[in-house]
Amino acid sequence: MDVLRILIAILLPPLGVFLQVGIGLHFWLNILLTLLGYIPGIIHAIWVIVKK
């Protein structure tokens, strides 16, 4: 299941974070990072998924 979440995080980083932790601090932070730059959003999303 984590492999699927990582693939989703590469395509849509906030969705990957949402599937892992729901709506919370990491979700909103990931939206901000994705808006500022797509790559930081991906890195944060993968970090959140691997960390849990």
Side-chain angles (χ1 to χ4, degrees):
M1 190 65 176
D2 282 344
V3 174
L4 180 62
R5 285 189 191 128
I6 290 173
L7 290 175
I8 292 171
I10 292 170
L11 298 174
L12 294 167
L15 180 59
V17 173
F18 174 75
L19 292 174
Q20 184 69 27
V21 296
I23 293 180
L25 176 65
H26 285 293
F27 175 73
W28 295 111
L29 178 62
N30 190 269
I31 287 179
L32 178 66
L33 288 171
T34 302
L35 290 175
L36 293 174
Y38 191 67
I39 300 299
I42 292 173
I43 293 170
H44 178 258
I46 292 173
W47 177 75
V48 168
I49 292 169
V50 171
K51 181 181 148 195
K52 298 278 177 174

